[in-house]
Amino acid sequence: MDVKLYKVKLLTVVCEILAQKNVLEILERHNVTGYTTFEVHGKGARGIRGQGLQNEKNAKIEVIMREEKLSDVIEEISRTMFADYALVLYVGDVGVVRTEKF
Amino acid sequence: MDVKLYKVKLLTVVCEILAQKNVLEILERHNVTGYTTFEVHGKGARGIRGQGLQNEKNAKIEVIMREEKLSDVIEEISRTMFADYALVLYVGDVGVVRTEKF
Amino acid sequence: MDVKLYKVKLLTVVCEILAQKNVLEILERHNVTGYTTFEVHGKGARGIRGQGLQNEKNAKIEVIMREEKLSDVIEEISRTMFADYALVLYVGDVGVVRTEKF
Amino acid sequence: MEVLELIQSNLLTPIVLFFLFGIIAARIKSDLKIPEAISEFLPIYLLAAIGLHGGIEMRNTGFERMLVPMLVAIGLSLLFTINHYQILRRLGKFNLYDSYALASTYGAVGAVTFSVGLSFLRDQGVTSEGYLAAVLAVLEPVAFILAIFMTNMAAAKQLRAKKQSAGGDEIDVGVQKTRLSGVLRESVTGKAIVILLGSIVIGYVIGSEGFEPISIVFEEMFVGAIVIFMIEMGVIAGQRLEDIKRVGVFLTAFAIVMPTINGIVGVVVATVMGLSLGGSVMFGLLLASASFIAAPAVLRHAIPEAKPSLYITSALGITFPYNIIVLLPIMFAISTITHGYESIDLFRHMAGGWT
Amino acid sequence: MEVLELIQSNLLTPIVLFFLFGIIAARIKSDLKIPEAISEFLPIYLLAAIGLHGGIEMRNTGFERMLVPMLVAIGLSLLFTINHYQILRRLGKFNLYDSYALASTYGAVGAVTFSVGLSFLRDQGVTSEGYLAAVLAVLEPVAFILAIFMTNMAAAKQLRAKKQSAGGDEIDVGVQKTRLSGVLRESVTGKAIVILLGSIVIGYVIGSEGFEPISIVFEEMFVGAIVIFMIEMGVIAGQRLEDIKRVGVFLTAFAIVMPTINGIVGVVVATVMGLSLGGSVMFGLLLASASFIAAPAVLRHAIPEAKPSLYITSALGITFPYNIIVLLPIMFAISTITHGYESIDLFRHMAGGWT
Amino acid sequence: MEVLELIQSNLLTPIVLFFLFGIIAARIKSDLKIPEAISEFLPIYLLAAIGLHGGIEMRNTGFERMLVPMLVAIGLSLLFTINHYQILRRLGKFNLYDSYALASTYGAVGAVTFSVGLSFLRDQGVTSEGYLAAVLAVLEPVAFILAIFMTNMAAAKQLRAKKQSAGGDEIDVGVQKTRLSGVLRESVTGKAIVILLGSIVIGYVIGSEGFEPISIVFEEMFVGAIVIFMIEMGVIAGQRLEDIKRVGVFLTAFAIVMPTINGIVGVVVATVMGLSLGGSVMFGLLLASASFIAAPAVLRHAIPEAKPSLYITSALGITFPYNIIVLLPIMFAISTITHGYESIDLFRHMAGGWT
Ligand SMILES: Nc1ncnc2c1ncn2[C@@H]1O[C@H](COP(=O)(O)O)[C@@H](O)[C@H]1O
Ligand SMILES: Nc1ncnc2c1ncn2[C@@H]1O[C@H](COP(=O)(O)O)[C@@H](O)[C@H]1O
Ligand SMILES: Nc1ncnc2c1ncn2[C@@H]1O[C@H](COP(=O)(O)O)[C@@H](O)[C@H]1O
Ligand code: NA
Ligand code: NA
Ligand code: NA
């Protein structure tokens, strides 16, 4: 039997944990239906993150979404958050079974 | 020096943690050689998950596998689990060095 | 509005946690600018990992990097670590906004 | 009225107050939370403490007297589970799966409720029979096993009906069976039962003397540990308050009336069997309590078709607070009466002499 | 000199020694670390213990006498915050955002510092007014609210200036307002304030008698718990030592001189208001302390433009060690004098009689 | 026989019983588990408690008498490590890497075993020399450093042999050297040694008086904390039972015989050096114990070619249970004899008078 996969986008945001709320609010505003989050450590332009105080960890947020909404979401994150927060985002292609969920 | 990468599939399943066992059993049944798991939080059709009781978290399961087995695994997960469990799955393309491992 | 995405590589390494340091040192040596890490459980050729002693967990290391450096990094990891450590690595394609960060 | 006074004084214990505090913290959307590792550890700790205590008591008093109460408890638990099912299915119009899931959630027992009960008795200067910890352990899986068995029977029957009309698939019946045996295994090896039974045995073996070097951790810190756990329970209950609206009037009423009946029956039966004043309260509490930690772990595998939001929310959000705040003092008052004390005040005087 | 002796004897307490040990462990790049769940739980525990203790004290002594010290503390906190801002902006040449962030970090209070202070007083055999826990709770958000309000005013003004020259966007002003109200909500429902206020109320309600069964966890284990937390604080401070070079001479001086002034003013004002010897030390410590757990959580949302490396590093890496090692004994010595004891030694004799 | 009785009574302590319980829980595939944060914290806590205790003792008794036992311990540890290697390589036919890894695992010491030993002595009413905590700290890295050095020597030799036949690569020798120095650094700054040494120093500085406010956490809770940790150790050991079959008969025998010999030699040598009855047991236990927490952390970097399943499984799954259940009472009996008590019973009587 063959399963049909539909193409959607997987947006990943890695940011300082105190900025997670901002990202989720942006997703909310764009009516994104779901997301998955977890805590990570990391290193980047703002040095090593995750060793010190609890608030200095990073969060990783993964969002499966249709291509239509993608650039609006990225644009808002870029505009409102790139300057002030430790943050990295990237986009990949994935296939899903139940396209109606996203 | 150039490293040769072989194309395989990366299947990701995000599901309620109590359903993790079911997914791993399905993988077992299809002789999948390995997987990686971790605990995540998330939001989806069944609301926010990860705040309340320990059992209400999500698990994320990532499996590198050859395309051959992929649709059987997806088919069994879809058939036996989509109806009753909070679950999302998606598939991406990745390249690996040691194709014999998968 | 349309956001322009630049193509880069996402290298993922899953390895026993005591080998994480070795991987990060290799990244350092190749002047990779950043990475994201977190602790995971898993199963593979070396059995189930993550149940027993703290030191027997796995780490997952994700690195966004330009294609140029990729094969050198993979080559060094393969050469120095494949034989002795529980380790899996794979590479995917992703798009990023701020290409200058990587 | 004395019961009201008892409820009121119970309301002002750290345990109840910190639970209410947790609810408020969740309602005002505070980020207060006991870290997961701690709130995962505390039930293990509480059960170990309960078990050790129970085991030591059993060593002192012998456990020949345990058999009857144990069998009666099992019988009542099964009876109540079937009763719950009938009420939920017939009157509540819940579907097969939700009915059995809920029936067994209320037929099962709550270890946290049991801990709070022990601490309540301690405040009243009363003790209870040590073997009740063993009853707690044995009662844990009983209701689930019954409900799972019944659900599988019913599902198999539906399947057979279908098969007779069309060509059936044998495989699914096999799946049902594996499911049942798998679930049985799981619920008996669940961490709650295992740590409880293990600690009872160890308590029995070491006795008071062997317990002495660990009594500071496993006895003196007990109430403080419950307090910390109650913060988290309160927060979780508070986060679910919205869901309570969604469980509906029927289930809300069920979640209050049923434990009350079960609990009072329990107190009376226990008195008849000769349990002490405190023991009768704990016996009633076992029957009144609903499971909200073990239930999801077992039922999500065993009856995946049932909606966890129903059974978790009603057990944790309604029955648990009701039990520890209102029903516990009521059962204590009833037990005082069934044990022949004319009034609670009288009893208090006597208790004063005991401690 | 007596102050030096006091500093020296304070230096040799487990709390300070384990803090220094944590710093050393971090400096030699040891992998020593208190697991996150534990170090996340400890502040909650410490605040609950402080709150319960304060509440019980308030029940014993009444809280009518609390009003004046509370209002004075709020007034001083606001005054100091504005003063800090002027100094940082004018003399330190920090930008608007960093100035307000730093000003409020030092205007706010540190709960960990407060815990250490209580334990220091205990060592000296001195008590302090219970209502100071309530002052701690109320003081937590005050400085942040002021600083956030002022920053938003200033930012709006800049915006308006821009708008007059070009075509302005209304939306951003709206964003500013939502931000402010959101931040206000958040800082008042922050876990530290919530657990502290909740525990004060519960302590008040249960009184010493109700506290008795949990006193082993919430009182006797207090100092041991601080010690464990200080290891982690030391490790984190040690990891930041490099950053201290980067904060510059001005901020380093500010991080030592400002708390000293604020603290001494606090001790004197408290003495004038009639607080006890120990209470005056704690009042001074409240004003001297800088926030390093609450500050990032609030400021990162409220003033994202400010560099957290500045305010966290100076508060945790410089002011905190200075306060608990040097300033605390100094304030104690001053309070001894302002309370009319001719020398600390004399006092010690008397204290000996009290305990 | 008295030794058997001693073994039997030791078997019935909470520590041993909860360890066995953990094994059973793992064997019946229960999901029982102490959350990671707790089981990561407990060794730190245990080492801090051991260190503080040792430091305070050293302050009371002076540490001039420490030098000889320390040097003898180091000497024996090195000697034993080489001896282990010869046996493993020649008789056991293990490869170079596995031989050195195993040799040093058994040459090193186990902090958890040490904790259990202290608690065993406490049960027997016997004390031990405080400076043994310092010996524990110093002994931690010694065997590893030797084994790593020897492995690198051997590897370099192999390399040189290869180079002579073909064209060698210089780089790898450099790598070997960096590896060695890196590993040395790491093993000396490992959290176990750091917290242990730090706590010894702090204990020495604060003395009994300074310890008083934290004694409830760092002394009275000690045995309870070990019990909790032993559950987890049991679970982990139980999960590995299958692996034990795979380590083979030779290694299984080695994992029992070697510690027995080393331990008895230790007791005798300690007696000769003048250590007390309890101190001689602890000295023997240091030499008998194998490392299973530090070993993987050090060896995985230092000798990555060695199979961790060998050294972890034998140390944790065989030697650890054997040591705490069987060998500890045996060594106690021997020490009783070497210290001139005719029988254990006699000793008990005397001990009774001491406590
Ligand atoms: N090249 C990279 N690959 C993967 N993750 C990265 C990379 N650069 C940064 N990150 C993650 O993004 C966080 C913030 O990055 P930055 O703002 O550059 O400090 C880091 O702490 C990492 O977790
Ligand atoms: N659009 C999405 N992107 C990423 N993860 C999702 C998405 N939707 C759902 N999830 C994850 O899958 C879990 C179950 O989803 P659901 O069954 O829709 O409640 C959620 O709790 C999320 O962790
Ligand atoms: N097929 C796979 N898919 C995903 N992760 C894997 C796979 N195989 C191995 N891993 C991960 O890599 C770790 C080491 O693999 P191994 O060296 O094969 O034992 C495992 O513990 C898993 O976490
Ligand atoms: Na029940
Ligand atoms: Na302040
Ligand atoms: Na040894």
Side-chain angles (χ1 to χ4, degrees):
Chain A
M1 189 206 133
D2 235 352
V3 181
K4 171 113 193 72
L5 294 175
Y6 301 88
K7 279 201 163 180
V8 292
K9 292 288 176 181
L10 174 63
L11 167 67
T12 304
V13 180
V14 179
C15 62
E16 50 177 301
I17 199 151
L18 290 173
Q20 172 171 340
K21 235 186 113 183
N22 306 35
V23 175
L24 298 186
E25 276 166 13
I26 292 172
L27 295 178
E28 199 84 26
R29 255 202 297 287
H30 290 270
N31 301 312
V32 170
T33 55
Y35 55 78
T36 295
T37 63
F38 47 104
E39 295 181 357
V40 297
H41 290 195
K43 206 190 103 175
R46 309 209 180 204
I48 293 178
R49 298 189 55 83
Q51 315 188 303
L53 297 163
Q54 253 71 52
N55 282 329
E56 297 183 281
K57 278 176 301 193
N58 289 339
K60 190 171 175 189
I61 304 156
E62 297 181 331
V63 196
I64 308 165
M65 59 199 295
R66 304 209 183 180
E67 186 141 22
E68 295 96 84
K69 290 179 188 169
L70 184 67
S71 52
D72 284 357
V73 168
I74 294 182
E75 187 276 331
E76 188 167 343
I77 294 176
S78 312
R79 183 169 43 80
T80 62
M81 300 185 63
F82 271 5
D84 293 331
Y85 294 103
L87 190 148
V88 153
L89 72 75
Y90 54 89
V91 179
D93 294 302
V94 293
V96 296
V97 180
R98 297 183 286 183
T99 174
E100 68 282 4
K101 271 191 79 87
F102 307 100
Chain B
M1 190 208 132
D2 235 351
V3 181
K4 171 110 194 74
L5 294 176
Y6 300 88
K7 279 201 164 179
V8 292
K9 293 287 176 182
L10 174 63
L11 167 67
T12 304
V13 180
V14 180
C15 63
E16 48 177 305
I17 199 152
L18 290 173
Q20 172 170 341
K21 236 185 112 184
N22 307 35
V23 176
L24 298 186
E25 276 165 13
I26 292 173
L27 295 178
E28 199 83 27
R29 254 201 299 285
H30 291 270
N31 300 313
V32 170
T33 54
Y35 54 79
T36 295
T37 64
F38 46 104
E39 295 181 358
V40 298
H41 290 195
K43 207 190 101 176
R46 310 212 178 200
I48 293 178
R49 299 189 54 84
Q51 313 187 305
L53 297 163
Q54 253 71 53
N55 282 329
E56 298 183 280
K57 279 176 299 191
N58 289 340
K60 191 172 176 190
I61 304 156
E62 297 180 333
V63 195
I64 307 166
M65 59 197 295
R66 304 208 184 180
E67 187 140 22
E68 295 96 83
K69 290 180 186 170
L70 184 67
S71 51
D72 285 355
V73 169
I74 295 182
E75 187 275 330
E76 187 168 343
I77 294 176
S78 313
R79 182 168 45 79
T80 61
M81 300 185 64
F82 272 5
D84 293 330
Y85 295 103
L87 190 149
V88 153
L89 72 76
Y90 54 89
V91 179
D93 294 301
V94 293
V96 298
V97 180
R98 296 183 286 183
T99 175
E100 69 281 4
K101 271 190 80 84
F102 306 100
Chain C
M1 190 208 133
D2 235 352
V3 181
K4 173 112 193 71
L5 293 175
Y6 301 88
K7 280 200 163 180
V8 292
K9 293 288 176 182
L10 175 62
L11 167 68
T12 304
V13 180
V14 180
C15 63
E16 50 176 302
I17 200 151
L18 290 173
Q20 172 170 340
K21 235 185 113 183
N22 306 36
V23 176
L24 298 186
E25 277 165 13
I26 292 173
L27 295 178
E28 199 84 27
R29 254 200 300 286
H30 290 270
N31 301 313
V32 170
T33 56
Y35 54 79
T36 295
T37 64
F38 47 104
E39 294 181 358
V40 298
H41 291 195
K43 207 191 103 177
R46 309 211 180 203
I48 293 179
R49 298 190 55 83
Q51 314 188 305
L53 297 163
Q54 253 72 52
N55 282 331
E56 297 182 282
K57 278 176 301 192
N58 288 340
K60 191 171 176 190
I61 305 156
E62 298 181 331
V63 196
I64 308 164
M65 59 198 296
R66 304 208 183 181
E67 187 140 21
E68 293 97 84
K69 291 179 188 170
L70 185 67
S71 51
D72 284 357
V73 169
I74 294 181
E75 187 275 331
E76 187 167 343
I77 293 176
S78 313
R79 182 169 44 80
T80 62
M81 300 184 65
F82 271 4
D84 293 331
Y85 294 104
L87 190 148
V88 153
L89 71 76
Y90 53 90
V91 179
D93 295 301
V94 293
V96 297
V97 180
R98 296 183 287 182
T99 175
E100 68 280 4
K101 272 191 81 83
F102 307 101
Chain D
M1 234 202 80
E2 285 136 351
V3 178
L4 274 184
E5 266 168 37
L6 203 54
I7 291 179
Q8 200 179 325
S9 92
N10 179 42
L11 205 56
L12 303 186
T13 56
I15 289 179
V16 172
L17 288 171
F18 271 104
F19 178 71
L20 297 176
F21 161 72
I23 293 180
I24 294 170
R27 296 318 294 165
I28 62 172
K29 301 215 180 303
S30 167
D31 59 344
L32 180 71
K33 185 160 179 45
I34 304 298
E36 207 176 287
I38 310 282
S39 57
E40 212 167 313
F41 173 65
L42 284 173
I44 299 174
Y45 163 81
L46 294 178
L47 288 164
I50 292 174
L52 285 168
H53 182 80
I56 293 167
E57 289 290 308
M58 281 165 75
R59 183 197 181 100
N60 293 339
T61 62
F63 54 110
E64 53 288 352
R65 287 184 302 156
M66 180 174 89
L67 195 69
V68 174
M70 178 74 86
L71 292 178
V72 171
I74 294 173
L76 285 176
S77 172
L78 294 175
L79 210 72
F80 288 173
T81 303
I82 293 171
N83 184 34
H84 300 157
Y85 173 76
Q86 298 296 343
I87 291 172
L88 290 159
R89 189 99 172 92
R90 310 250 156 134
L91 300 183
K93 307 289 175 210
F94 288 97
N95 69 35
L96 177 81
Y97 303 109
D98 286 334
S99 298
Y100 272 123
L102 278 163
S104 59
T105 299
Y106 281 87
V109 289
V112 183
T113 317
F114 193 85
S115 309
V116 175
L118 286 182
S119 157
F120 174 86
L121 289 188
R122 203 190 276 196
D123 276 356
Q124 306 296 329
V126 182
T127 58
S128 59
E129 282 77 2
Y131 61 70
L132 289 169
V135 178
L136 171 67
V138 172
L139 233 48
E140 258 252 350
V142 163
F144 292 126
I145 291 172
L146 177 70
I148 294 162
F149 182 74
M150 303 284 271
T151 313
N152 278 278
M153 293 270 286
K157 206 163 133 193
Q158 288 187 351
L159 215 72
R160 244 176 290 129
K162 253 196 233 161
K163 245 193 332 198
Q164 286 180 330
S165 53
D169 50 352
E170 288 292 320
I171 309 150
D172 267 14
V173 184
V175 168
Q176 295 285 345
K177 271 195 195 135
T178 352
R179 220 204 224 177
L180 181 58
S181 80
V183 162
L184 293 190
R185 263 204 97 278
E186 253 173 64
S187 62
V188 176
T189 61
K191 56 183 159 194
I193 296 181
V194 167
I195 185 80
L196 190 51
L197 285 181
S199 304
I200 290 173
V201 171
I202 294 175
Y204 190 89
V205 170
I206 60 175
S208 320
E209 205 191 329
F211 183 66
E212 208 265 336
I214 58 173
S215 76
I216 190 153
V217 168
F218 286 102
E219 180 156 352
E220 297 178 40
M221 288 173 59
F222 187 66
V223 185
I226 298 179
V227 159
I228 293 165
F229 194 57
M230 293 306 275
I231 297 176
E232 182 65 11
M233 287 297 101
V235 167
I236 295 176
Q239 286 168 345
R240 299 193 91 91
L241 278 197
E242 258 104 58
D243 295 354
I244 290 183
K245 293 173 209 149
R246 261 172 271 153
V247 303
V249 180
F250 184 86
L251 190 49
T252 306
F254 178 93
I256 287 175
V257 174
M258 220 60 236
T260 311
I261 296 173
N262 294 353
I264 292 175
V265 169
V267 173
V268 173
V269 169
T271 310
V272 170
M273 290 189 298
L275 272 77
S276 69
L277 191 156
S280 300
V281 174
M282 293 310 292
F283 194 88
L285 195 59
L286 279 174
L287 295 170
S289 66
S291 166
F292 50 86
I293 294 188
V298 173
L299 293 176
R300 212 60 195 110
H301 280 133
I303 315 181
E305 302 86 353
K307 285 177 279 301
S309 57
L310 286 183
Y311 52 81
I312 301 177
T313 304
S314 56
L316 172 58
I318 305 172
T319 303
F320 176 63
Y322 172 72
N323 276 352
I324 63 166
I325 297 175
V326 180
L327 188 57
L328 192 50
I330 290 180
M331 292 194 304
F332 186 80
I334 293 174
S335 187
T336 314
I337 294 162
T338 58
H339 283 79
Y341 299 99
E342 292 195 5
S343 84
I344 305 174
D345 271 298
L346 173 65
F347 162 72
R348 279 235 171 131
H349 269 177
M350 302 177 60
W354 292 352
T355 31
Chain E
M1 235 204 79
E2 285 134 350
V3 179
L4 274 185
E5 268 168 37
L6 202 55
I7 292 179
Q8 200 180 324
S9 91
N10 178 43
L11 205 56
L12 303 187
T13 58
I15 289 179
V16 171
L17 288 172
F18 271 104
F19 178 71
L20 297 176
F21 162 71
I23 292 180
I24 294 169
R27 295 318 295 164
I28 61 172
K29 302 218 180 300
S30 167
D31 59 344
L32 180 71
K33 184 159 178 46
I34 304 297
E36 206 176 289
I38 310 283
S39 57
E40 213 167 310
F41 173 65
L42 283 173
I44 298 175
Y45 162 81
L46 294 178
L47 288 164
I50 293 173
L52 286 169
H53 182 81
I56 292 168
E57 288 291 308
M58 280 165 76
R59 183 196 180 101
N60 293 340
T61 61
F63 55 110
E64 53 288 351
R65 286 184 305 156
M66 180 174 88
L67 195 69
V68 173
M70 177 73 86
L71 292 178
V72 171
I74 294 173
L76 285 177
S77 171
L78 294 176
L79 210 73
F80 287 173
T81 303
I82 293 172
N83 184 34
H84 300 156
Y85 173 75
Q86 298 297 342
I87 292 171
L88 291 159
R89 189 99 173 89
R90 311 251 155 131
L91 301 182
K93 307 290 175 208
F94 287 98
N95 71 34
L96 177 81
Y97 303 109
D98 287 334
S99 298
Y100 272 123
L102 278 164
S104 59
T105 299
Y106 281 86
V109 289
V112 183
T113 317
F114 193 85
S115 309
V116 175
L118 286 181
S119 157
F120 174 86
L121 289 189
R122 204 189 273 197
D123 276 357
Q124 306 295 329
V126 182
T127 59
S128 60
E129 282 77 1
Y131 61 70
L132 288 170
V135 177
L136 171 67
V138 172
L139 233 49
E140 258 252 351
V142 162
F144 293 126
I145 291 173
L146 176 71
I148 294 162
F149 183 75
M150 302 284 272
T151 314
N152 277 278
M153 293 272 286
K157 207 164 135 192
Q158 289 187 349
L159 215 72
R160 243 176 291 129
K162 252 196 232 161
K163 240 193 338 196
Q164 285 180 332
S165 52
D169 50 352
E170 288 292 319
I171 308 150
D172 267 15
V173 184
V175 168
Q176 295 284 344
K177 270 193 196 139
T178 351
R179 219 204 227 178
L180 181 58
S181 80
V183 163
L184 294 190
R185 261 204 98 279
E186 252 172 67
S187 62
V188 175
T189 61
K191 56 184 159 193
I193 296 182
V194 166
I195 185 78
L196 190 51
L197 284 180
S199 303
I200 291 173
V201 171
I202 293 175
Y204 191 91
V205 170
I206 59 175
S208 320
E209 204 191 329
F211 183 65
E212 208 265 335
I214 57 173
S215 76
I216 190 153
V217 169
F218 287 102
E219 181 154 350
E220 296 178 42
M221 288 173 59
F222 187 67
V223 185
I226 297 179
V227 159
I228 293 165
F229 194 58
M230 292 307 275
I231 297 176
E232 181 67 12
M233 286 298 101
V235 167
I236 296 177
Q239 286 167 344
R240 299 194 91 91
L241 278 196
E242 258 105 60
D243 296 354
I244 290 183
K245 293 174 209 148
R246 261 173 270 152
V247 304
V249 179
F250 184 85
L251 190 49
T252 304
F254 179 92
I256 287 176
V257 174
M258 220 60 236
T260 311
I261 297 174
N262 294 353
I264 292 176
V265 169
V267 173
V268 172
V269 169
T271 309
V272 170
M273 290 190 298
L275 271 76
S276 69
L277 190 156
S280 300
V281 174
M282 292 310 292
F283 194 88
L285 194 59
L286 278 174
L287 295 170
S289 66
S291 166
F292 51 86
I293 294 187
V298 173
L299 293 177
R300 211 62 195 109
H301 280 135
I303 315 180
E305 301 87 352
K307 286 178 278 301
S309 56
L310 285 183
Y311 52 81
I312 300 177
T313 304
S314 56
L316 172 58
I318 305 171
T319 303
F320 176 63
Y322 172 72
N323 276 351
I324 63 167
I325 297 175
V326 181
L327 188 57
L328 192 50
I330 291 181
M331 292 195 304
F332 186 81
I334 294 175
S335 187
T336 314
I337 294 162
T338 59
H339 282 78
Y341 299 99
E342 290 194 7
S343 84
I344 304 175
D345 271 297
L346 173 64
F347 162 72
R348 280 235 171 131
H349 269 177
M350 302 178 60
W354 293 352
T355 29
Chain F
M1 233 203 81
E2 285 135 349
V3 177
L4 272 185
E5 267 169 37
L6 202 56
I7 291 179
Q8 199 180 324
S9 92
N10 178 43
L11 206 56
L12 303 186
T13 57
I15 289 180
V16 172
L17 288 171
F18 271 104
F19 178 71
L20 296 175
F21 162 72
I23 292 179
I24 294 170
R27 295 318 296 164
I28 62 172
K29 301 218 181 300
S30 167
D31 60 343
L32 181 70
K33 185 163 177 44
I34 304 298
E36 204 176 289
I38 310 284
S39 57
E40 211 168 313
F41 174 65
L42 283 172
I44 299 175
Y45 162 81
L46 295 178
L47 288 165
I50 292 173
L52 286 168
H53 183 80
I56 293 168
E57 288 292 307
M58 281 164 76
R59 183 197 180 101
N60 294 338
T61 61
F63 54 111
E64 53 287 353
R65 287 184 302 156
M66 180 174 89
L67 196 68
V68 174
M70 177 74 86
L71 292 178
V72 170
I74 293 174
L76 284 177
S77 171
L78 294 175
L79 210 72
F80 287 173
T81 302
I82 292 171
N83 184 33
H84 300 157
Y85 173 76
Q86 298 296 341
I87 292 171
L88 291 159
R89 189 98 173 90
R90 311 251 156 133
L91 300 181
K93 306 290 177 210
F94 288 96
N95 71 33
L96 177 81
Y97 302 110
D98 287 333
S99 298
Y100 273 123
L102 279 162
S104 59
T105 299
Y106 281 86
V109 288
V112 183
T113 317
F114 194 84
S115 309
V116 175
L118 286 181
S119 156
F120 173 86
L121 289 189
R122 205 190 273 196
D123 276 356
Q124 307 295 330
V126 182
T127 58
S128 60
E129 281 78 1
Y131 60 71
L132 288 170
V135 178
L136 172 66
V138 172
L139 232 47
E140 258 253 349
V142 162
F144 293 126
I145 291 172
L146 176 70
I148 294 162
F149 182 75
M150 302 284 271
T151 314
N152 278 277
M153 293 271 286
K157 206 164 135 194
Q158 288 188 348
L159 214 72
R160 242 176 291 128
K162 250 197 235 161
K163 243 194 334 197
Q164 286 181 332
S165 53
D169 49 352
E170 288 291 319
I171 309 152
D172 267 13
V173 184
V175 167
Q176 295 285 345
K177 270 194 195 137
T178 353
R179 221 203 224 179
L180 180 58
S181 80
V183 163
L184 294 189
R185 262 205 96 278
E186 253 172 66
S187 63
V188 176
T189 61
K191 55 184 160 193
I193 297 182
V194 166
I195 186 79
L196 190 51
L197 284 181
S199 303
I200 291 173
V201 172
I202 293 175
Y204 191 89
V205 171
I206 60 175
S208 320
E209 203 191 330
F211 183 66
E212 208 266 335
I214 58 173
S215 77
I216 190 153
V217 169
F218 287 102
E219 180 155 352
E220 296 178 41
M221 289 172 58
F222 187 67
V223 185
I226 297 179
V227 159
I228 293 166
F229 194 57
M230 292 307 276
I231 298 176
E232 182 66 12
M233 286 299 100
V235 168
I236 295 176
Q239 287 168 345
R240 299 193 92 91
L241 278 197
E242 258 104 61
D243 296 355
I244 290 183
K245 293 172 210 150
R246 260 172 273 152
V247 305
V249 178
F250 184 86
L251 191 48
T252 306
F254 179 92
I256 287 176
V257 174
M258 220 60 237
T260 311
I261 297 173
N262 294 353
I264 293 175
V265 168
V267 172
V268 173
V269 169
T271 309
V272 170
M273 289 190 298
L275 272 75
S276 69
L277 190 156
S280 300
V281 175
M282 293 310 292
F283 194 88
L285 195 59
L286 279 174
L287 295 171
S289 66
S291 166
F292 50 86
I293 295 187
V298 173
L299 293 177
R300 211 61 196 108
H301 280 134
I303 314 181
E305 301 86 352
K307 286 178 279 302
S309 57
L310 286 183
Y311 52 80
I312 300 178
T313 303
S314 56
L316 172 58
I318 304 170
T319 303
F320 176 64
Y322 172 73
N323 276 351
I324 63 167
I325 298 176
V326 180
L327 188 57
L328 192 50
I330 291 180
M331 293 195 302
F332 186 81
I334 293 175
S335 187
T336 314
I337 294 162
T338 58
H339 283 78
Y341 299 99
E342 290 194 6
S343 84
I344 304 173
D345 272 297
L346 172 66
F347 162 72
R348 278 232 173 135
H349 269 179
M350 302 178 62
W354 292 351
T355 29

